Amino acid sequence: MKTMKLWRKSRLSKCHANSFANGRTGAIFVIAFMMLAAFSLASCSSNDDDKDIVEQVTIFVSAETGTYNVVPSNTFTEGMLIREQGESAFYCVSFQTITGFTYERGHEYELLVKRTTLANPPQDSGKYRYELVRIVSGKWQGLEMLKCDIKYLFFCKLFGSIA
């Protein structure tokens, strides 16, 4: 029985002597773990300042159409050409981009829209959402478009298909 107590006593003293160098290493591990936990929680916190920004802008819609690349399928699709007031170049977007607006070929439009800049946009979509407020003006450019179509058809008959 005495040997058993001595063995336990000696075993415990060896364990305590070797454990974390008298508590210094343990304290370092505890501090490192606490810092890691704090940084992890801080990076996951939500920021309440991220809100959608809504403003009214004027958009010009061209009578001509263009093509844009649909990312997942990597195909080109026909869409309308738009530009915001103050910009010089048109860019192509889907016909359904402006909620409440139906595009008609051969018409030029000036639109007043509500543009929402999304704080956290989805990855497969743009950062803007457009909603029609009113149509400021609309002009039919059909005769000009018809002239362009006739020239296009003439060149296609003369030289074969362009595309």
Side-chain angles (χ1 to χ4, degrees):
M1 193 80 122
K2 286 186 180 183
T3 56
M4 184 78 145
K5 285 183 182 179
L6 286 175
W7 179 77
R8 279 188 189 167
K9 196 175 192 181
S10 65
R11 177 129 174 115
L12 286 175
S13 62
K14 286 181 185 175
C15 289
H16 284 296
N18 293 332
S19 70
F20 298 116
N22 294 330
R24 286 187 215 139
T25 311
I28 292 172
F29 281 123
V30 169
I31 291 171
F33 177 75
M34 297 283 271
M35 288 176 59
L36 179 67
F39 288 131
S40 297
L41 292 175
S43 66
C44 294
S45 68
S46 65
N47 193 355
D48 291 336
D49 295 339
D50 292 342
K51 294 182 182 174
D52 295 345
I53 300 169
V54 180
E55 57 189 340
Q56 285 191 356
V57 295
T58 302
I59 289 185
F60 299 97
V61 182
S62 175
E64 300 176 16
T65 59
T67 57
Y68 66 95
N69 189 7
V70 179
V71 176
S73 61
N74 202 21
T75 59
F76 286 90
T77 305
E78 186 179 24
M80 60 183 172
L81 296 171
I82 67 170
R83 71 175 175 87
E84 290 186 22
Q85 189 170 22
E87 294 180 358
S88 58
F90 283 91
Y91 58 96
C92 190
V93 295
S94 169
F95 291 120
Q96 288 83 28
T97 298
I98 303 172
T99 306
F101 175 69
T102 304
Y103 177 79
E104 292 183 31
R105 292 185 206 291
H107 287 76
E108 275 185 356
Y109 297 97
E110 180 180 345
L111 308 175
L112 183 64
V113 297
K114 182 171 65 171
R115 181 180 73 186
T116 304
T117 305
L118 302 175
N120 295 314
Q123 291 183 353
D124 61 345
S125 146
K127 66 178 183 176
Y128 297 121
R129 295 280 185 259
Y130 297 99
E131 184 179 336
L132 180 66
V133 174
R134 68 183 169 95
I135 299 176
V136 177
S137 68
K139 294 185 252 177
W140 184 64
Q141 300 292 325
L143 190 56
E144 291 298 318
M145 297 295 290
L146 186 60
K147 288 179 185 176
C148 291
D149 287 343
I150 290 173
K151 288 179 186 176
Y152 179 77
L153 290 174
F154 174 74
F155 283 114
C156 285
K157 288 284 185 187
L158 191 62
F159 300 111
S161 178
I162 293 175

